[in-house]
Amino acid sequence: MADSTDKPTTKAMEDISTDGLGTAVLASVGSVVLALYFYYVSGDKQRGQFVGLWPVTILAMASYFKLEEIKQGIEELSD
């Protein structure tokens, strides 16, 4: 059951854009492609494995910054 106090929070969540995550996803996909290129095409398996670790870091950082943005939005509503 939703009451009237949920409406401002719901509105704030809808206002937060997903543009930042789109860039991170593109960077992660590019990193995977680059890792596959290094590993299979150029034969540099160590570099391919190193670059293959980047997508997780990129997505984790993007998620962290998005959560901080959500946190700030909620704090602004409660003030």
Side-chain angles (χ1 to χ4, degrees):
M1 298 185 143
D3 57 16
S4 61
T5 58
D6 289 340
K7 298 222 183 238
T9 305
T10 305
K11 175 69 175 142
M13 296 305 228
E14 290 171 356
D15 289 342
I16 295 174
S17 67
T18 58
D19 295 337
L21 287 179
T23 306
V25 169
L26 287 176
S28 296
V29 169
S31 177
V32 168
V33 170
L34 186 62
L36 292 171
Y37 170 78
F38 281 135
Y39 195 85
Y40 291 110
V41 177
S42 61
D44 191 355
K45 292 186 177 189
Q46 188 174 9
R47 185 174 293 192
Q49 291 171 350
F50 174 71
V51 174
L53 295 173
W54 294 355
V56 177
T57 305
I58 294 168
L59 292 174
M61 288 178 61
S63 295
Y64 171 78
F65 289 125
K66 187 57 66 178
L67 286 173
E68 286 298 314
E69 181 182 342
I70 292 169
K71 181 181 169 185
Q72 288 176 358
I74 291 173
E75 288 174 354
E76 288 176 5
L77 284 174
S78 64
D79 290 341

Coordinates of all heavy atoms in Angstrom, one line a residue:
M1 N 0.8 -1.2 0.0 CA 0.0 0.0 0.0 C 0.9 1.2 0.0 O 1.7 1.4 0.9 CB -0.9 0.0 1.2 CG -1.9 -1.1 1.3 SD -2.9 -0.8 2.7 CE -4.4 -1.4 2.0
A2 N 0.7 2.1 -0.9 CA 1.4 3.3 -1.0 C 0.6 4.4 -0.4 O -0.6 4.5 -0.6 CB 1.7 3.6 -2.5
D3 N 1.3 5.3 0.3 CA 0.7 6.5 0.9 C 1.2 7.7 0.2 O 2.1 7.6 -0.6 CB 0.7 6.5 2.4 CG 2.2 6.5 2.9 OD1 3.1 6.8 2.1 OD2 2.4 6.3 4.1
S4 N 0.8 8.9 0.6 CA 1.2 10.1 0.0 C 2.6 10.5 0.2 O 3.2 11.3 -0.5 CB 0.3 11.3 0.4 OG 0.4 11.4 1.9
T5 N 3.3 9.9 1.3 CA 4.7 10.2 1.5 C 5.6 9.6 0.5 O 6.8 9.9 0.4 CB 5.1 9.8 3.0 OG1 4.8 8.4 3.1 CG2 4.3 10.6 4.0
D6 N 5.2 8.5 -0.2 CA 6.0 7.8 -1.1 C 6.1 8.6 -2.4 O 7.1 8.4 -3.2 CB 5.4 6.5 -1.5 CG 5.6 5.5 -0.3 OD1 6.5 5.7 0.6 OD2 4.9 4.5 -0.3
K7 N 5.2 9.5 -2.7 CA 5.2 10.2 -4.0 C 6.5 11.1 -4.3 O 7.0 11.0 -5.3 CB 3.9 11.0 -4.1 CG 2.7 10.2 -4.1 CD 1.7 10.6 -5.1 CE 0.5 9.7 -5.0 NZ 0.2 9.1 -6.2
P8 N 6.9 11.9 -3.3 CA 8.2 12.7 -3.6 C 9.4 11.8 -3.9 O 10.2 12.1 -4.7 CB 8.3 13.6 -2.3 CG 7.0 13.6 -1.7 CD 6.3 12.3 -2.0
T9 N 9.5 10.8 -3.1 CA 10.7 9.9 -3.3 C 10.6 9.2 -4.7 O 11.6 9.1 -5.4 CB 10.7 8.8 -2.2 OG1 10.7 9.5 -0.9 CG2 11.9 8.0 -2.3
T10 N 9.4 8.8 -5.1 CA 9.2 8.2 -6.4 C 9.5 9.1 -7.5 O 10.2 8.8 -8.4 CB 7.8 7.6 -6.5 OG1 7.5 6.7 -5.4 CG2 7.6 6.9 -7.8
K11 N 9.1 10.4 -7.3 CA 9.4 11.4 -8.3 C 10.9 11.7 -8.4 O 11.4 11.8 -9.5 CB 8.6 12.7 -7.9 CG 8.9 13.9 -8.8 CD 8.3 13.7 -10.1 CE 8.5 15.0 -10.9 NZ 8.8 14.7 -12.3
A12 N 11.6 11.7 -7.3 CA 13.0 11.9 -7.3 C 13.7 10.8 -8.0 O 14.7 11.0 -8.8 CB 13.6 12.1 -5.9
M13 N 13.3 9.6 -7.8 CA 13.9 8.5 -8.5 C 13.7 8.5 -10.0 O 14.5 8.1 -10.8 CB 13.4 7.1 -7.9 CG 13.7 7.0 -6.5 SD 15.5 7.1 -6.2 CE 15.8 5.7 -5.2
E14 N 12.5 9.0 -10.4 CA 12.2 9.1 -11.8 C 13.1 10.2 -12.5 O 13.4 10.1 -13.7 CB 10.7 9.3 -12.0 CG 9.9 8.2 -11.7 CD 8.4 8.5 -11.7 OE1 8.0 9.7 -11.9 OE2 7.6 7.6 -11.5
D15 N 13.4 11.2 -11.7 CA 14.2 12.3 -12.3 C 15.7 11.9 -12.5 O 16.4 12.6 -13.3 CB 14.1 13.5 -11.3 CG 12.8 14.2 -11.3 OD1 12.0 13.9 -12.3 OD2 12.5 14.9 -10.4
I16 N 16.2 10.9 -11.8 CA 17.6 10.5 -12.0 C 17.7 9.8 -13.3 O 17.1 8.9 -13.6 CB 18.0 9.6 -10.8 CG1 18.0 10.4 -9.5 CG2 19.4 9.1 -11.1 CD1 18.2 9.6 -8.3
S17 N 18.7 10.3 -14.1 CA 18.9 9.8 -15.5 C 19.8 8.6 -15.4 O 20.5 8.4 -14.5 CB 19.5 10.9 -16.4 OG 20.8 11.2 -15.9
T18 N 19.7 7.8 -16.5 CA 20.6 6.7 -16.6 C 21.7 6.9 -17.7 O 22.3 6.0 -18.1 CB 19.8 5.4 -17.1 OG1 19.1 5.7 -18.3 CG2 18.8 5.0 -16.0
D19 N 21.9 8.2 -18.0 CA 22.9 8.5 -19.0 C 24.3 8.0 -18.6 O 25.1 7.6 -19.4 CB 22.9 10.0 -19.3 CG 21.6 10.4 -20.0 OD1 20.9 9.6 -20.5 OD2 21.3 11.6 -19.9
G20 N 24.7 8.2 -17.4 CA 26.0 7.8 -16.9 C 26.3 6.3 -17.0 O 27.4 5.9 -17.4
L21 N 25.3 5.5 -16.8 CA 25.5 4.1 -17.0 C 25.6 3.7 -18.4 O 26.3 2.7 -18.7 CB 24.3 3.3 -16.3 CG 24.3 3.3 -14.8 CD1 23.1 2.5 -14.3 CD2 25.6 2.7 -14.2
G22 N 25.0 4.4 -19.3 CA 25.1 4.1 -20.7 C 26.5 4.2 -21.2 O 27.0 3.4 -22.0
T23 N 27.2 5.2 -20.8 CA 28.6 5.5 -21.1 C 29.5 4.4 -20.6 O 30.4 3.8 -21.2 CB 29.1 6.8 -20.6 OG1 28.2 7.8 -21.1 CG2 30.5 7.1 -21.1
A24 N 29.2 4.0 -19.3 CA 30.0 2.9 -18.7 C 29.8 1.6 -19.4 O 30.7 0.8 -19.5 CB 29.6 2.8 -17.2
V25 N 28.6 1.3 -19.8 CA 28.3 0.0 -20.5 C 29.1 0.0 -21.9 O 29.7 -1.0 -22.2 CB 26.8 -0.2 -20.7 CG1 26.5 -1.3 -21.7 CG2 26.1 -0.4 -19.4
L26 N 29.1 1.1 -22.6 CA 29.8 1.2 -23.8 C 31.3 1.0 -23.6 O 32.0 0.3 -24.4 CB 29.5 2.5 -24.5 CG 28.2 2.7 -25.2 CD1 28.0 4.1 -25.7 CD2 28.0 1.7 -26.2
A27 N 31.8 1.6 -22.6 CA 33.3 1.5 -22.3 C 33.6 0.0 -21.9 O 34.6 -0.5 -22.3 CB 33.7 2.4 -21.1
S28 N 32.7 -0.6 -21.2 CA 32.9 -2.0 -20.8 C 32.8 -3.0 -22.0 O 33.7 -3.9 -22.1 CB 31.8 -2.4 -19.7 OG 32.0 -1.7 -18.6
V29 N 31.9 -2.7 -22.9 CA 31.8 -3.6 -24.1 C 33.1 -3.4 -24.9 O 33.6 -4.3 -25.4 CB 30.5 -3.2 -24.9 CG1 30.5 -3.9 -26.2 CG2 29.3 -3.7 -24.1
G30 N 33.5 -2.1 -25.0 CA 34.7 -1.9 -25.8 C 35.9 -2.6 -25.2 O 36.8 -3.1 -25.9
S31 N 36.0 -2.6 -23.8 CA 37.1 -3.3 -23.1 C 37.0 -4.8 -23.4 O 38.1 -5.4 -23.6 CB 36.9 -3.0 -21.6 OG 37.9 -3.7 -20.9
V32 N 35.9 -5.3 -23.4 CA 35.8 -6.8 -23.7 C 36.2 -7.1 -25.1 O 37.0 -8.0 -25.3 CB 34.3 -7.3 -23.5 CG1 34.1 -8.7 -24.0 CG2 33.9 -7.2 -22.0
V33 N 35.8 -6.3 -26.1 CA 36.3 -6.4 -27.4 C 37.8 -6.3 -27.5 O 38.4 -7.1 -28.2 CB 35.6 -5.4 -28.4 CG1 36.2 -5.4 -29.8 CG2 34.1 -5.7 -28.4
L34 N 38.3 -5.3 -26.9 CA 39.8 -5.1 -26.9 C 40.5 -6.3 -26.3 O 41.5 -6.8 -26.8 CB 40.1 -3.8 -26.2 CG 41.6 -3.4 -26.2 CD1 42.0 -3.1 -27.7 CD2 41.8 -2.1 -25.4
A35 N 40.0 -6.8 -25.2 CA 40.6 -8.0 -24.5 C 40.6 -9.2 -25.4 O 41.6 -9.9 -25.5 CB 39.8 -8.3 -23.2
L36 N 39.4 -9.4 -26.1 CA 39.4 -10.5 -27.0 C 40.4 -10.4 -28.2 O 41.0 -11.4 -28.6 CB 37.9 -10.7 -27.5 CG 36.9 -11.2 -26.5 CD1 35.5 -11.1 -27.1 CD2 37.2 -12.6 -26.0
Y37 N 40.5 -9.2 -28.6 CA 41.5 -8.9 -29.7 C 42.9 -9.2 -29.2 O 43.6 -10.0 -29.9 CB 41.4 -7.4 -30.1 CG 42.5 -7.1 -31.1 CD1 42.5 -7.4 -32.4 CD2 43.6 -6.4 -30.6 CE1 43.5 -7.1 -33.3 CE2 44.7 -6.1 -31.4 CZ 44.6 -6.4 -32.8 OH 45.7 -6.1 -33.6
F38 N 43.3 -8.7 -28.1 CA 44.6 -9.0 -27.6 C 44.8 -10.5 -27.3 O 45.9 -11.0 -27.6 CB 44.9 -8.3 -26.2 CG 45.2 -6.8 -26.4 CD1 44.6 -5.9 -25.6 CD2 46.1 -6.4 -27.4 CE1 44.9 -4.5 -25.7 CE2 46.4 -5.1 -27.5 CZ 45.8 -4.1 -26.7
Y39 N 43.8 -11.2 -26.8 CA 44.0 -12.6 -26.4 C 44.1 -13.5 -27.6 O 44.9 -14.3 -27.7 CB 42.8 -13.0 -25.5 CG 43.1 -14.3 -24.7 CD1 43.7 -14.3 -23.5 CD2 42.6 -15.5 -25.2 CE1 44.0 -15.4 -22.8 CE2 42.8 -16.7 -24.6 CZ 43.5 -16.6 -23.4 OH 43.7 -17.8 -22.7
Y40 N 43.1 -13.3 -28.5 CA 43.0 -14.2 -29.6 C 43.7 -13.8 -30.9 O 44.4 -14.6 -31.6 CB 41.6 -14.6 -30.0 CG 40.9 -15.4 -28.9 CD1 39.9 -14.8 -28.1 CD2 41.3 -16.7 -28.7 CE1 39.3 -15.5 -27.1 CE2 40.7 -17.4 -27.7 CZ 39.7 -16.9 -26.9 OH 39.1 -17.6 -25.9
V41 N 43.6 -12.5 -31.3 CA 44.2 -12.1 -32.5 C 45.7 -11.8 -32.4 O 46.4 -12.3 -33.2 CB 43.4 -10.8 -33.1 CG1 44.0 -10.3 -34.3 CG2 41.9 -11.2 -33.3
S42 N 46.0 -11.0 -31.5 CA 47.5 -10.7 -31.4 C 48.3 -11.7 -30.6 O 49.5 -11.6 -30.6 CB 47.7 -9.2 -30.9 OG 47.3 -8.8 -29.8
G43 N 47.6 -12.5 -29.9 CA 48.3 -13.6 -29.2 C 48.9 -13.2 -27.9 O 49.6 -13.9 -27.2
D44 N 48.7 -11.9 -27.4 CA 49.2 -11.4 -26.2 C 48.2 -11.8 -25.1 O 47.4 -10.9 -24.7 CB 49.4 -9.9 -26.3 CG 50.2 -9.4 -25.1 OD1 50.5 -10.1 -24.2 OD2 50.6 -8.2 -25.2
K45 N 48.3 -13.0 -24.5 CA 47.3 -13.5 -23.6 C 47.3 -12.7 -22.3 O 46.3 -12.5 -21.7 CB 47.5 -15.0 -23.4 CG 47.1 -15.8 -24.6 CD 47.2 -17.3 -24.3 CE 46.8 -18.0 -25.6 NZ 46.6 -19.4 -25.4
Q46 N 48.5 -12.4 -21.8 CA 48.6 -11.7 -20.5 C 47.9 -10.3 -20.6 O 47.2 -9.9 -19.7 CB 50.1 -11.5 -20.1 CG 50.2 -10.9 -18.7 CD 51.7 -10.9 -18.3 OE1 52.6 -11.2 -19.1 NE2 51.9 -10.6 -17.0
R47 N 48.2 -9.6 -21.7 CA 47.5 -8.3 -21.9 C 46.0 -8.4 -22.1 O 45.2 -7.6 -21.6 CB 48.1 -7.5 -23.1 CG 47.5 -6.1 -23.2 CD 48.2 -5.4 -24.3 NE 49.5 -5.1 -23.9 CZ 50.4 -4.3 -24.6 NH1 49.9 -3.6 -25.6 NH2 51.6 -4.1 -24.2
G48 N 45.6 -9.5 -22.8 CA 44.2 -9.7 -22.9 C 43.5 -10.0 -21.6 O 42.4 -9.5 -21.4
Q49 N 44.1 -10.7 -20.7 CA 43.6 -11.0 -19.4 C 43.5 -9.7 -18.6 O 42.5 -9.5 -17.9 CB 44.4 -12.1 -18.7 CG 44.2 -13.4 -19.3 CD 45.2 -14.5 -18.8 OE1 46.1 -14.1 -18.0 NE2 45.0 -15.7 -19.1
F50 N 44.5 -8.9 -18.7 CA 44.6 -7.6 -17.9 C 43.4 -6.7 -18.4 O 42.7 -6.2 -17.6 CB 45.9 -7.0 -18.1 CG 46.0 -5.6 -17.5 CD1 46.0 -5.5 -16.1 CD2 46.1 -4.5 -18.3 CE1 46.1 -4.2 -15.5 CE2 46.1 -3.2 -17.7 CZ 46.2 -3.1 -16.4
V51 N 43.3 -6.5 -19.7 CA 42.3 -5.7 -20.2 C 40.9 -6.3 -19.9 O 39.9 -5.5 -19.7 CB 42.5 -5.4 -21.7 CG1 41.3 -4.6 -22.3 CG2 43.8 -4.7 -21.9
G52 N 40.8 -7.6 -19.8 CA 39.5 -8.3 -19.5 C 39.0 -8.0 -18.1 O 37.9 -8.2 -17.8
L53 N 39.9 -7.5 -17.3 CA 39.5 -7.2 -15.9 C 38.9 -5.8 -15.8 O 38.2 -5.4 -14.8 CB 40.7 -7.3 -14.9 CG 41.2 -8.7 -14.8 CD1 42.5 -8.6 -13.9 CD2 40.2 -9.6 -14.1
W54 N 39.0 -5.0 -16.8 CA 38.5 -3.6 -16.8 C 37.0 -3.4 -16.7 O 36.5 -2.6 -16.0 CB 39.0 -2.8 -18.0 CG 40.5 -2.6 -18.0 CD1 41.5 -2.9 -17.1 CD2 41.2 -2.0 -19.1 NE1 42.7 -2.5 -17.5 CE2 42.6 -2.0 -18.7 CE3 40.9 -1.4 -20.3 CZ2 43.6 -1.4 -19.5 CZ3 41.9 -0.9 -21.1 CH2 43.2 -0.9 -20.7
P55 N 36.2 -4.2 -17.4 CA 34.8 -4.0 -17.4 C 34.2 -4.0 -16.0 O 33.3 -3.2 -15.7 CB 34.2 -5.1 -18.3 CG 35.3 -5.5 -19.2 CD 36.6 -5.3 -18.4
V56 N 34.6 -5.0 -15.2 CA 34.1 -5.1 -13.8 C 34.3 -3.8 -13.1 O 33.5 -3.2 -12.4 CB 34.7 -6.3 -13.1 CG1 34.2 -6.4 -11.7 CG2 34.3 -7.5 -13.9
T57 N 35.6 -3.3 -13.2 CA 35.9 -2.0 -12.5 C 35.1 -0.8 -13.0 O 34.7 0.0 -12.2 CB 37.4 -1.8 -12.6 OG1 38.1 -2.9 -12.2 CG2 37.9 -0.6 -11.8
I58 N 35.0 -0.7 -14.3 CA 34.3 0.4 -14.9 C 32.8 0.4 -14.4 O 32.3 1.4 -14.0 CB 34.3 0.3 -16.4 CG1 35.8 0.5 -16.9 CG2 33.4 1.3 -17.1 CD1 36.0 0.2 -18.4
L59 N 32.2 -0.8 -14.5 CA 30.8 -0.9 -14.1 C 30.6 -0.7 -12.6 O 29.6 0.0 -12.1 CB 30.2 -2.2 -14.5 CG 30.0 -2.4 -16.0 CD1 29.6 -3.8 -16.3 CD2 29.1 -1.4 -16.6
A60 N 31.5 -1.1 -11.8 CA 31.5 -0.9 -10.3 C 31.6 0.6 -10.0 O 30.8 1.1 -9.1 CB 32.6 -1.7 -9.6
M61 N 32.5 1.3 -10.6 CA 32.6 2.7 -10.4 C 31.4 3.5 -10.8 O 30.9 4.4 -10.2 CB 33.9 3.2 -11.1 CG 35.2 2.8 -10.5 SD 36.6 3.4 -11.4 CE 36.4 5.1 -11.2
A62 N 30.8 3.1 -12.0 CA 29.6 3.8 -12.5 C 28.5 3.5 -11.5 O 27.7 4.5 -11.2 CB 29.3 3.3 -13.9
S63 N 28.3 2.3 -11.0 CA 27.3 2.0 -10.0 C 27.5 2.8 -8.7 O 26.5 3.3 -8.2 CB 27.3 0.5 -9.7 OG 27.0 -0.2 -10.8
Y64 N 28.7 2.9 -8.3 CA 29.0 3.7 -7.1 C 28.6 5.2 -7.2 O 27.9 5.7 -6.4 CB 30.5 3.6 -6.7 CG 30.8 4.6 -5.6 CD1 30.5 4.3 -4.3 CD2 31.5 5.8 -5.9 CE1 30.9 5.1 -3.3 CE2 31.8 6.7 -4.9 CZ 31.5 6.3 -3.5 OH 31.8 7.2 -2.5
F65 N 29.0 5.8 -8.4 CA 28.6 7.2 -8.6 C 27.1 7.4 -8.8 O 26.5 8.4 -8.3 CB 29.4 7.7 -9.8 CG 30.8 7.9 -9.5 CD1 31.8 7.3 -10.3 CD2 31.3 8.7 -8.4 CE1 33.1 7.5 -10.1 CE2 32.6 8.9 -8.2 CZ 33.6 8.3 -9.0
K66 N 26.4 6.4 -9.4 CA 25.0 6.5 -9.5 C 24.3 6.4 -8.2 O 23.3 7.1 -7.9 CB 24.5 5.4 -10.5 CG 23.0 5.5 -10.8 CD 22.6 6.8 -11.5 CE 23.3 7.0 -12.8 NZ 22.9 8.2 -13.4
L67 N 24.8 5.5 -7.3 CA 24.2 5.4 -6.0 C 24.4 6.7 -5.1 O 23.6 7.1 -4.4 CB 24.8 4.2 -5.2 CG 24.4 2.8 -5.7 CD1 25.2 1.7 -5.0 CD2 22.9 2.6 -5.4
E68 N 25.6 7.3 -5.3 CA 25.8 8.6 -4.6 C 24.8 9.6 -5.1 O 24.4 10.5 -4.4 CB 27.3 9.0 -4.8 CG 28.3 8.2 -4.0 CD 28.1 8.4 -2.5 OE1 27.8 9.5 -2.1 OE2 28.1 7.4 -1.8
E69 N 24.6 9.6 -6.4 CA 23.6 10.6 -7.0 C 22.2 10.4 -6.4 O 21.5 11.3 -6.1 CB 23.6 10.4 -8.5 CG 22.7 11.4 -9.2 CD 22.6 11.2 -10.7 OE1 23.6 10.5 -11.3 OE2 21.7 11.6 -11.3
I70 N 21.8 9.1 -6.3 CA 20.5 8.8 -5.7 C 20.5 9.2 -4.2 O 19.5 9.7 -3.8 CB 20.2 7.3 -5.9 CG1 20.0 6.9 -7.3 CG2 19.0 6.8 -5.0 CD1 20.0 5.4 -7.6
K71 N 21.6 8.9 -3.5 CA 21.6 9.3 -2.1 C 21.5 10.8 -1.9 O 20.7 11.3 -1.0 CB 23.0 8.8 -1.5 CG 23.2 9.1 -0.1 CD 24.6 8.7 0.4 CE 24.9 9.2 1.7 NZ 26.3 8.8 2.1
Q72 N 22.2 11.6 -2.7 CA 22.0 13.0 -2.7 C 20.6 13.5 -3.0 O 20.1 14.4 -2.4 CB 23.0 13.7 -3.6 CG 24.5 13.6 -3.1 CD 25.4 14.2 -4.1 OE1 25.1 14.6 -5.2 NE2 26.7 14.2 -3.8
G73 N 20.0 12.9 -4.0 CA 18.6 13.2 -4.3 C 17.7 12.9 -3.1 O 16.8 13.7 -2.8
I74 N 17.8 11.9 -2.4 CA 17.0 11.5 -1.3 C 17.3 12.5 -0.2 O 16.3 12.9 0.5 CB 17.2 10.1 -0.9 CG1 16.7 9.1 -1.9 CG2 16.6 9.8 0.5 CD1 17.0 7.7 -1.7
E75 N 18.5 12.8 0.1 CA 18.9 13.8 1.1 C 18.3 15.2 0.9 O 17.8 15.8 1.8 CB 20.4 13.9 1.3 CG 21.0 12.7 2.0 CD 22.5 12.7 2.0 OE1 23.1 13.7 1.4 OE2 23.1 11.8 2.6
E76 N 18.2 15.6 -0.4 CA 17.6 16.9 -0.8 C 16.1 16.9 -0.5 O 15.6 17.9 -0.1 CB 17.9 17.2 -2.2 CG 19.3 17.6 -2.5 CD 19.6 17.8 -4.0 OE1 18.6 17.8 -4.8 OE2 20.7 18.1 -4.3
L77 N 15.5 15.7 -0.7 CA 14.1 15.6 -0.4 C 13.8 15.7 1.0 O 12.7 16.2 1.4 CB 13.5 14.4 -1.1 CG 13.3 14.4 -2.6 CD1 12.9 13.0 -3.0 CD2 12.3 15.4 -2.9
S78 N 14.6 15.1 1.8 CA 14.3 15.0 3.3 C 14.7 16.4 4.0 O 14.2 16.6 5.1 CB 15.1 13.9 3.9 OG 16.5 14.1 3.8
D79 N 15.4 17.2 3.3 CA 15.7 18.6 3.9 C 14.6 19.5 3.8 O 13.7 19.6 3.2 CB 17.0 19.2 3.3 CG 18.2 18.4 3.7 OD1 18.2 17.7 4.7 OD2 19.2 18.6 3.0

